Amino acid sequence: MFATTAGTRSEGRRVERRPAPVGTAAALLLLAVSPAMAQQQDTVRADSVPVYRLEGITVTVSRSEQEVQKLPYAIGVLGASEIQALQTAISLAEALPEIPGVFVSNRYNFALGDRISIRGFGARSQFGVRGIRIIQDGIPLTLPDGQSQLNNLDLSAAGRIEVIRGPASALYGNASGGVVSVQTESPPPRPLVADARALGGSFGSSRLYQKYDVKAAGRQGKFDYTGHFGYFRTDGYRLHSAARYALLNGRMRYRPDADSEITVIVNYANTPQAESPSTLTDSLARVKPDTARDIALSPEQCPPEPGFGGCQDLGEESEQGQAGVSYRRQLSEEQQLSLMAYGLLRNLENRIPFTLIQLDRFGFGTRLEYRYAPLAGRVNFVTAGFDLDHQGDDRVENARDADQTGPITLDQDERVTSLGLFAQSGLAPIADAELTLSLRYDRVQFEVDDRLVTADDPDDSGSRKMDQLSPMAGLRYTHARWLNVYGNVGRSFQTPTTTELSDSLGGFNETLQPERAVNYEFGLKGTAADRVTYSLAIFSADIDDLIVGSAVPGTERVFFDNAGSAAHKGVEAGLSALLADGLVFTTSYTYSDFRFTEFRTEEDDYGGNRLPGVPPNRFYGRITYSHRSGATGSLEFRAVDSFFVDNANESRNDGYGVVDLRFGYSLLTPRLEIRPLVGLNNLFDQRYNSSVVVNAVRGRYYEPAPGRNVYLGLSVKTG
């Protein structure tokens, strides 16, 4: 988790009804247990997590190395098997569903990426990720304004994912919903191990995808490294959803002595093609789910009489490079110091309806952490430090239609700088108990320089400052290994992103305020008989100045405003158990009751309505079997309740249940490990929408998912 970085360069280019609850008996049964997210095999690896026993497993996403079961808030941990083994490793929707409280919508649209929400935070996202902190090898993929892009996320080389649910702002600042930390897998204790994998699949009708991964890793003396190159291309499930990208990720670590460590991380992603099919109405999604809106199509795909706006070839091309370097030093047996610095460059050309967006971004940041862990006494640890991050966006927008790019409508330089000071302490008031106290202060400065100033368009340059003091207190008591009881309370906040803060004419919306929340949580977790791990969390969040988006009449743009207040209440539960040698059962359940408590517009009063985009009930179950012969298989079931897609609660997305089946085999030879695999997704050919855009224009809320589809893969590993 200790990483530091310097920048790489990337040259850009310019062109002028209420949902029915689940059965009571099932709900009561599930409330008695809760998730163990972990790895099934390879338990000798440094980044492995035994699926049936989290006792003793430590995480660093808590900003200090602590045991999962002894943290006073909800933590989920996934190992390499859940992320990579029988998966395509293309989307977080493959790995994260087993963590309760986390809802990942695979949009099958690489121009927009996955939509992720944790306890309802992030559900409003039109594209990318909002309100959730995403970290990869210590480098934040979340910008100072709270916006995250997943283009650079490397799941094919990930050895562990750690997830905090709840009031994470006391730890990381501008991230109300939680934190997702992805860590590259640890290298083996040999100078070189190479691994190559080829995978291909089909959505039917000659719509194929293919993915190639080459990895090399090793350890020699004081030096170790992990490198990965991946290439992916797809024709897309829907019309006009083709995509291509290449990803390069590397981590190199050097230990000059027993007390220090230097880590260098480099990451580069190039996406020369990411078509966007846009969203569909309910009737069109049901009749022809693999189609696209006319406005999304290219001129070659355009029908003889296209709809309003013609065919504008929606999609994007992007390129991003980032790098970092970290230094960690054990000052003494009780003290540790770590320093991280990073930089990034991003170039984006994004074609949305009636607008061409061109963005050149430069960002950098640094983090300093000091940790003190006394060997005796009632102070278990003290962690303190600061984060400093900056993003600079050179943004130009042009009007466009089906025929040509029109005049410049927006030309401005946007800058966001955030400073966060934090401290955390663990105290032991009595035996078997720990009181965790956290305090963080954040100051986020938004600035804009308007370069498009005319007699009819005055200067919209300006700045806004937003700050927040975020305290958190958590108490954990351990009765036995099988029973850890905890509770916490904390404040959190999230600022508007630059996209949400900007109005359509340039400058900033002066009335839009940060979203603030007070979070409460009570939970149980533990490990029983070294065969079962469970957890249960009951939470509540009171949110003020809720940020919501609504369509601007007569346009495709979305305007953001503060809705008033909302209440998020829910229950998260799950279980992971070793039923027999090699047979593991994992299940989780999430109940969400998220409602506007106060939300009035000039026309309507939405008070009491459910927040759109979040299903009230979700269930996940998986049975995995690994035989000593090398054969493995898993049967996975996901059930999602119906949910509303608009503030008025007049339209909804139907509930669905999906079954996936996967098989693999490991064949060992004296020099190689050969692993074929096959996966069958949506086994019973369920027709459903895997994602929605809440409050979309003209009822186009829905993003359909593929029917039954299959993929095949083969990997070869040396050593």
Side-chain angles (χ1 to χ4, degrees):
M1 279 295 295
F2 302 96
T4 308
T5 30
T8 63
R9 294 198 62 84
S10 167
E11 296 301 325
R13 60 189 179 92
R14 287 261 186 217
V15 297
E16 292 276 89
R17 81 264 101 195
R18 309 266 181 203
V22 296
T24 304
L28 291 175
L29 174 63
L30 286 166
L31 291 181
V33 297
S34 160
M37 284 65 63
Q39 178 169 330
Q40 172 183 315
Q41 294 179 331
D42 302 329
T43 55
V44 298
R45 293 168 50 119
D47 54 9
S48 67
V49 185
V51 69
Y52 53 90
R53 184 171 182 260
L54 288 178
E55 191 74 21
I57 298 297
T58 61
V59 294
T60 54
V61 70
S62 59
R63 303 212 86 149
S64 59
E65 190 169 330
Q66 295 173 273
E67 290 189 27
V68 174
Q69 302 288 41
K70 295 185 178 181
L71 285 166
Y73 33 78
I75 291 276
V77 184
L78 298 171
S81 290
E82 287 79 17
I83 306 166
Q84 296 186 45
L86 301 177
Q87 312 277 18
T88 65
I90 295 173
S91 167
L92 280 171
E94 297 176 278
L96 292 186
E98 71 177 78
I99 300 181
V102 181
F103 185 40
V104 184
S105 301
N106 189 340
R107 311 178 81 159
Y108 297 93
N109 182 338
F110 290 90
L112 300 179
D114 293 334
R115 188 170 68 93
I116 306 174
S117 67
I118 297 180
R119 295 184 175 177
F121 296 102
R124 75 175 189 271
S125 176
Q126 305 291 312
F127 60 90
V129 179
R130 303 286 190 276
I132 299 169
R133 182 69 55 171
I134 309 292
I135 303 167
Q136 181 168 249
D137 288 326
I139 301 176
L141 302 185
T142 302
L143 295 166
D145 68 349
Q147 178 179 212
S148 305
Q149 297 291 337
L150 303 179
N151 305 63
N152 290 63
L153 195 62
D154 189 0
L155 296 178
S156 294
R160 174 183 284 211
I161 297 178
E162 300 173 358
V163 181
I164 292 179
R165 314 187 305 274
S169 286
L171 300 172
Y172 285 93
N174 188 8
S176 294
V179 180
V180 178
S181 174
V182 180
Q183 301 172 25
T184 297
E185 56 192 338
S186 298
R190 295 188 292 278
L192 173 63
V193 173
D195 191 351
R197 182 167 93 154
L199 183 145
S202 171
F203 298 122
S205 302
S206 301
R207 296 187 179 277
L208 308 176
Y209 63 89
Q210 51 192 295
K211 186 172 185 286
Y212 305 96
D213 296 286
V214 178
K215 295 187 285 187
R219 193 185 306 248
Q220 183 74 48
K222 299 180 178 181
F223 176 77
D224 66 61
Y225 67 96
T226 301
H228 168 241
F229 173 77
Y231 176 78
F232 173 80
R233 72 177 300 157
T234 178
D235 300 319
Y237 159 61
R238 296 172 58 194
L239 184 64
H240 196 75
S241 61
R244 291 178 288 131
Y245 70 76
L247 177 65
L248 178 65
N249 188 52
R251 185 182 69 183
M252 294 146 284
R253 183 165 47 200
Y254 177 67
R255 297 177 177 85
D257 54 55
D259 296 323
S260 58
E261 176 179 290
I262 301 171
T263 304
V264 176
I265 301 162
V266 293
N267 184 284
Y268 172 76
N270 184 18
T271 306
Q273 180 188 29
E275 297 176 341
S276 174
S278 191
T279 51
L280 301 177
T281 62
D282 180 61
S283 59
L284 194 54
R286 292 178 186 276
V287 174
K288 198 172 182 181
D290 61 349
T291 193
R293 287 178 60 192
D294 287 352
I295 199 172
L297 302 177
S298 65
E300 295 79 12
Q301 300 167 318
C302 199
E305 296 182 5
F308 173 72
C311 298
Q312 297 188 16
D313 190 19
L314 304 188
E316 69 173 39
E317 293 84 44
S318 66
E319 187 178 15
Q320 178 167 321
Q322 62 188 44
V325 58
S326 71
Y327 175 72
R328 182 178 66 175
R329 177 77 180 177
Q330 194 72 35
L331 302 175
S332 68
E333 197 171 2
E334 298 179 332
Q335 301 178 79
Q336 185 182 91
L337 183 70
S338 65
L339 173 66
M340 182 203 83
Y342 75 92
L344 68 87
L345 288 167
R346 178 176 177 83
N347 172 249
L348 170 70
E349 182 178 300
N350 188 13
R351 301 178 302 280
I352 64 175
F354 306 105
T355 303
L356 171 65
I357 301 173
Q358 298 167 90
L359 179 74
D360 287 319
R361 171 173 292 154
F362 168 66
F364 62 85
T366 185
R367 181 177 74 231
L368 176 69
E369 289 185 5
Y370 168 78
R371 176 174 169 82
Y372 172 63
L375 300 178
R378 295 197 177 276
V379 178
N380 291 341
F381 69 90
V382 176
T383 301
F386 71 85
D387 298 302
L388 177 63
D389 295 282
H390 176 82
Q391 75 181 80
D393 294 346
D394 180 0
R395 183 186 299 271
V396 177
E397 297 185 6
N398 294 72
R400 66 187 294 262
D401 55 28
D403 299 321
Q404 61 182 359
T405 299
I408 293 177
T409 57
L410 185 72
D411 188 353
Q412 61 188 31
D413 180 42
E414 303 165 351
R415 299 181 300 279
V416 186
T417 304
S418 69
L419 173 65
L421 308 174
F422 61 88
Q424 184 182 45
S425 179
L427 309 175
I430 60 174
D432 301 319
E434 183 174 68
L435 174 65
T436 300
L437 301 174
S438 301
L439 183 64
R440 181 178 174 111
Y441 172 74
D442 285 279
R443 182 179 184 274
V444 185
Q445 179 82 26
F446 294 83
E447 299 175 280
V448 60
D449 290 334
D450 188 359
R451 299 190 296 252
L452 187 62
V453 180
T454 66
D456 298 325
D457 187 359
D459 191 350
D460 291 309
S461 300
S463 65
R464 291 196 61 186
K465 181 184 76 172
M466 303 178 186
D467 61 356
Q468 168 85 22
L469 190 65
S470 302
M472 190 197 76
L475 180 64
R476 182 267 309 163
Y477 175 74
T478 299
H479 173 72
R481 286 179 52 199
W482 62 270
L483 181 60
N484 296 273
V485 184
Y486 71 89
N488 66 66
V489 59
R491 292 178 59 189
S492 61
F493 87 119
Q494 59 176 305
T495 67
T497 67
T498 55
T499 303
E500 296 166 347
L501 194 60
S502 176
D503 64 36
S504 59
L505 300 177
F508 289 139
N509 179 351
E510 295 294 335
T511 64
L512 189 60
Q513 300 298 320
E515 186 175 293
R516 306 177 192 272
V518 179
N519 305 270
Y520 308 89
E521 182 179 348
F522 171 80
L524 308 172
K525 51 186 171 181
T527 298
D530 286 344
R531 300 178 70 89
V532 177
T533 296
Y534 76 94
S535 69
L536 167 70
I538 303 171
F539 68 89
S540 175
D542 298 323
I543 305 167
D544 291 320
D545 294 322
L546 186 73
I547 299 174
V548 297
S550 57
V552 178
T555 75
E556 296 275 342
R557 302 301 289 256
V558 176
F559 179 79
F560 291 88
D561 202 355
N562 296 110
S565 58
H568 290 195
K569 299 178 181 180
V571 178
E572 302 163 348
L575 171 77
S576 193
L578 181 66
L579 302 180
D581 188 21
L583 182 64
V584 177
F585 172 64
T586 301
T587 185
S588 65
Y589 168 74
T590 302
Y591 171 71
S592 304
D593 184 9
F594 304 158
R595 298 178 184 272
F596 298 114
T597 52
E598 182 183 348
F599 183 12
R600 293 184 179 181
T601 67
E602 294 181 0
E603 299 83 15
D604 299 289
D605 183 357
Y606 299 133
N609 285 7
R610 286 189 180 270
L611 269 70
V614 182
N617 298 283
R618 300 198 308 277
F619 173 80
Y620 173 88
R622 185 185 70 234
I623 296 177
T624 304
Y625 181 67
S626 299
H627 192 265
R628 64 188 63 186
S629 66
T632 61
S634 71
L635 180 67
E636 183 177 285
F637 174 68
R638 290 171 287 125
V640 176
D641 202 356
S642 64
F643 58 92
F644 293 110
V645 295
D646 61 333
N647 293 336
N649 287 183
E650 294 176 349
S651 300
R652 65 167 64 243
N653 187 47
D654 291 340
Y656 57 88
V658 178
V659 176
D660 299 328
L661 188 61
R662 300 180 176 94
F663 296 102
Y665 186 76
S666 178
L667 175 63
L668 295 176
T669 72
R671 296 180 178 273
L672 300 174
E673 180 182 2
I674 302 172
R675 298 171 302 202
L677 66 97
V678 58
L680 187 59
N681 294 325
N682 197 356
L683 180 64
F684 298 107
D685 201 24
Q686 171 83 18
R687 216 301 302 168
Y688 70 102
N689 302 311
S690 58
S691 181
V692 301
V693 173
V694 299
N695 298 316
V697 178
R698 300 182 182 91
R700 301 187 186 97
Y701 306 110
Y702 306 102
E703 296 178 294
R708 185 186 300 113
N709 62 95
V710 65
Y711 62 87
L712 301 171
L714 178 67
S715 66
V716 179
K717 185 176 182 179
T718 64

